[in-house]
PDB file of all heavy atoms in Angstrom:
ATOM      1  N   THR A  97      18.938 -16.993  -0.642  1.00  0.00           N
ATOM      2  CA  THR A  97      18.711 -16.032   0.439  1.00  0.00           C
ATOM      3  C   THR A  97      18.786 -14.604  -0.091  1.00  0.00           C
ATOM      4  O   THR A  97      17.982 -13.741   0.277  1.00  0.00           O
ATOM      5  CB  THR A  97      19.751 -16.218   1.555  1.00  0.00           C
ATOM      6  OG1 THR A  97      19.603 -17.521   2.125  1.00  0.00           O
ATOM      7  CG2 THR A  97      19.581 -15.171   2.644  1.00  0.00           C
ATOM      8  N   GLU A  98      19.733 -14.354  -0.992  1.00  0.00           N
ATOM      9  CA  GLU A  98      19.893 -13.013  -1.545  1.00  0.00           C
ATOM     10  C   GLU A  98      18.643 -12.587  -2.315  1.00  0.00           C
ATOM     11  O   GLU A  98      18.199 -11.429  -2.217  1.00  0.00           O
ATOM     12  CB  GLU A  98      21.119 -12.966  -2.468  1.00  0.00           C
ATOM     13  CG  GLU A  98      22.459 -13.067  -1.763  1.00  0.00           C
ATOM     14  CD  GLU A  98      22.753 -14.472  -1.238  1.00  0.00           C
ATOM     15  OE1 GLU A  98      22.123 -15.448  -1.732  1.00  0.00           O
ATOM     16  OE2 GLU A  98      23.603 -14.592  -0.328  1.00  0.00           O
ATOM     17  N   THR A  99      18.065 -13.510  -3.064  1.00  0.00           N
ATOM     18  CA  THR A  99      16.856 -13.180  -3.825  1.00  0.00           C
ATOM     19  C   THR A  99      15.696 -12.882  -2.891  1.00  0.00           C
ATOM     20  O   THR A  99      14.941 -11.920  -3.098  1.00  0.00           O
ATOM     21  CB  THR A  99      16.468 -14.349  -4.751  1.00  0.00           C
ATOM     22  OG1 THR A  99      17.496 -14.529  -5.740  1.00  0.00           O
ATOM     23  CG2 THR A  99      15.151 -14.062  -5.466  1.00  0.00           C
ATOM     24  N   ARG A 100      15.550 -13.686  -1.846  1.00  0.00           N
ATOM     25  CA  ARG A 100      14.459 -13.452  -0.901  1.00  0.00           C
ATOM     26  C   ARG A 100      14.615 -12.103  -0.206  1.00  0.00           C
ATOM     27  O   ARG A 100      13.645 -11.374  -0.021  1.00  0.00           O
ATOM     28  CB  ARG A 100      14.395 -14.584   0.125  1.00  0.00           C
ATOM     29  CG  ARG A 100      13.849 -15.889  -0.457  1.00  0.00           C
ATOM     30  CD  ARG A 100      13.561 -16.904   0.626  1.00  0.00           C
ATOM     31  NE  ARG A 100      14.766 -17.509   1.146  1.00  0.00           N
ATOM     32  CZ  ARG A 100      15.311 -18.625   0.655  1.00  0.00           C
ATOM     33  NH1 ARG A 100      14.748 -19.238  -0.371  1.00  0.00           N
ATOM     34  NH2 ARG A 100      16.408 -19.137   1.202  1.00  0.00           N
ATOM     35  N   HIS A 101      15.852 -11.755   0.150  1.00  0.00           N
ATOM     36  CA  HIS A 101      16.088 -10.462   0.786  1.00  0.00           C
ATOM     37  C   HIS A 101      15.762  -9.317  -0.181  1.00  0.00           C
ATOM     38  O   HIS A 101      15.157  -8.315   0.217  1.00  0.00           O
ATOM     39  CB  HIS A 101      17.537 -10.360   1.246  1.00  0.00           C
ATOM     40  CG  HIS A 101      17.822 -11.120   2.500  1.00  0.00           C
ATOM     41  ND1 HIS A 101      18.928 -10.872   3.297  1.00  0.00           N
ATOM     42  CD2 HIS A 101      17.163 -12.138   3.113  1.00  0.00           C
ATOM     43  CE1 HIS A 101      18.930 -11.700   4.329  1.00  0.00           C
ATOM     44  NE2 HIS A 101      17.864 -12.480   4.225  1.00  0.00           N
ATOM     45  N   GLU A 102      16.174  -9.464  -1.425  1.00  0.00           N
ATOM     46  CA  GLU A 102      15.909  -8.403  -2.397  1.00  0.00           C
ATOM     47  C   GLU A 102      14.413  -8.284  -2.687  1.00  0.00           C
ATOM     48  O   GLU A 102      13.896  -7.178  -2.860  1.00  0.00           O
ATOM     49  CB  GLU A 102      16.678  -8.671  -3.694  1.00  0.00           C
ATOM     50  CG  GLU A 102      16.531  -7.584  -4.744  1.00  0.00           C
ATOM     51  CD  GLU A 102      17.028  -6.215  -4.287  1.00  0.00           C
ATOM     52  OE1 GLU A 102      17.862  -6.155  -3.367  1.00  0.00           O
ATOM     53  OE2 GLU A 102      16.565  -5.197  -4.860  1.00  0.00           O
ATOM     54  N   LEU A 103      13.712  -9.404  -2.719  1.00  0.00           N
ATOM     55  CA  LEU A 103      12.263  -9.376  -2.893  1.00  0.00           C
ATOM     56  C   LEU A 103      11.614  -8.595  -1.752  1.00  0.00           C
ATOM     57  O   LEU A 103      10.726  -7.756  -1.986  1.00  0.00           O
ATOM     58  CB  LEU A 103      11.717 -10.811  -2.929  1.00  0.00           C
ATOM     59  CG  LEU A 103      10.190 -10.976  -2.938  1.00  0.00           C
ATOM     60  CD1 LEU A 103       9.581 -10.312  -4.166  1.00  0.00           C
ATOM     61  CD2 LEU A 103       9.821 -12.456  -2.893  1.00  0.00           C
ATOM     62  N   LEU A 104      12.057  -8.840  -0.537  1.00  0.00           N
ATOM     63  CA  LEU A 104      11.505  -8.124   0.613  1.00  0.00           C
ATOM     64  C   LEU A 104      11.854  -6.634   0.570  1.00  0.00           C
ATOM     65  O   LEU A 104      11.026  -5.790   0.914  1.00  0.00           O
ATOM     66  CB  LEU A 104      12.016  -8.748   1.911  1.00  0.00           C
ATOM     67  CG  LEU A 104      11.440 -10.138   2.231  1.00  0.00           C
ATOM     68  CD1 LEU A 104      12.210 -10.776   3.372  1.00  0.00           C
ATOM     69  CD2 LEU A 104       9.960 -10.045   2.577  1.00  0.00           C
ATOM     70  N   ARG A 105      13.071  -6.316   0.150  1.00  0.00           N
ATOM     71  CA  ARG A 105      13.446  -4.903   0.037  1.00  0.00           C
ATOM     72  C   ARG A 105      12.542  -4.188  -0.970  1.00  0.00           C
ATOM     73  O   ARG A 105      12.049  -3.085  -0.706  1.00  0.00           O
ATOM     74  CB  ARG A 105      14.906  -4.776  -0.423  1.00  0.00           C
ATOM     75  CG  ARG A 105      15.946  -5.087   0.622  1.00  0.00           C
ATOM     76  CD  ARG A 105      17.329  -4.666   0.160  1.00  0.00           C
ATOM     77  NE  ARG A 105      18.355  -5.284   0.998  1.00  0.00           N
ATOM     78  CZ  ARG A 105      18.978  -6.424   0.707  1.00  0.00           C
ATOM     79  NH1 ARG A 105      18.688  -7.063  -0.425  1.00  0.00           N
ATOM     80  NH2 ARG A 105      19.892  -6.915   1.531  1.00  0.00           N
ATOM     81  N   ARG A 106      12.352  -4.816  -2.108  1.00  0.00           N
ATOM     82  CA  ARG A 106      11.527  -4.191  -3.142  1.00  0.00           C
ATOM     83  C   ARG A 106      10.075  -4.082  -2.700  1.00  0.00           C
ATOM     84  O   ARG A 106       9.399  -3.090  -3.007  1.00  0.00           O
ATOM     85  CB  ARG A 106      11.640  -4.977  -4.453  1.00  0.00           C
ATOM     86  CG  ARG A 106      13.037  -4.952  -5.049  1.00  0.00           C
ATOM     87  CD  ARG A 106      13.077  -5.571  -6.438  1.00  0.00           C
ATOM     88  NE  ARG A 106      14.430  -5.589  -6.972  1.00  0.00           N
ATOM     89  CZ  ARG A 106      14.721  -5.705  -8.267  1.00  0.00           C
ATOM     90  NH1 ARG A 106      13.760  -5.837  -9.162  1.00  0.00           N
ATOM     91  NH2 ARG A 106      15.976  -5.703  -8.671  1.00  0.00           N
ATOM     92  N   TYR A 107       9.606  -5.094  -1.993  1.00  0.00           N
ATOM     93  CA  TYR A 107       8.228  -5.021  -1.514  1.00  0.00           C
ATOM     94  C   TYR A 107       8.102  -3.955  -0.428  1.00  0.00           C
ATOM     95  O   TYR A 107       7.082  -3.247  -0.369  1.00  0.00           O
ATOM     96  CB  TYR A 107       7.756  -6.374  -0.989  1.00  0.00           C
ATOM     97  CG  TYR A 107       6.272  -6.371  -0.697  1.00  0.00           C
ATOM     98  CD1 TYR A 107       5.358  -6.182  -1.736  1.00  0.00           C
ATOM     99  CD2 TYR A 107       5.771  -6.533   0.595  1.00  0.00           C
ATOM    100  CE1 TYR A 107       3.992  -6.150  -1.487  1.00  0.00           C
ATOM    101  CE2 TYR A 107       4.417  -6.506   0.840  1.00  0.00           C
ATOM    102  CZ  TYR A 107       3.534  -6.317  -0.206  1.00  0.00           C
ATOM    103  OH  TYR A 107       2.178  -6.270   0.059  1.00  0.00           O
ATOM    104  N   SER A 108       9.114  -3.795   0.390  1.00  0.00           N
ATOM    105  CA  SER A 108       9.109  -2.745   1.405  1.00  0.00           C
ATOM    106  C   SER A 108       9.002  -1.371   0.755  1.00  0.00           C
ATOM    107  O   SER A 108       8.245  -0.502   1.210  1.00  0.00           O
ATOM    108  CB  SER A 108      10.382  -2.830   2.259  1.00  0.00           C
ATOM    109  OG  SER A 108      10.428  -1.785   3.207  1.00  0.00           O
ATOM    110  N   ASP A 109       9.753  -1.163  -0.326  1.00  0.00           N
ATOM    111  CA  ASP A 109       9.671   0.104  -1.059  1.00  0.00           C
ATOM    112  C   ASP A 109       8.275   0.295  -1.652  1.00  0.00           C
ATOM    113  O   ASP A 109       7.736   1.406  -1.649  1.00  0.00           O
ATOM    114  CB  ASP A 109      10.710   0.144  -2.178  1.00  0.00           C
ATOM    115  CG  ASP A 109      12.133   0.260  -1.659  1.00  0.00           C
ATOM    116  OD1 ASP A 109      12.310   0.682  -0.497  1.00  0.00           O
ATOM    117  OD2 ASP A 109      13.068  -0.079  -2.414  1.00  0.00           O
TER     118      ASP A 109
END
Side-chain angles (χ1 to χ4, degrees):
T97 297
E98 290 73 20
T99 295
R100 287 190 285 269
H101 283 199
E102 183 60 23
L103 173 61
L104 289 169
R105 285 191 195 94
R106 295 188 182 200
Y107 189 64
S108 177
D109 290 340

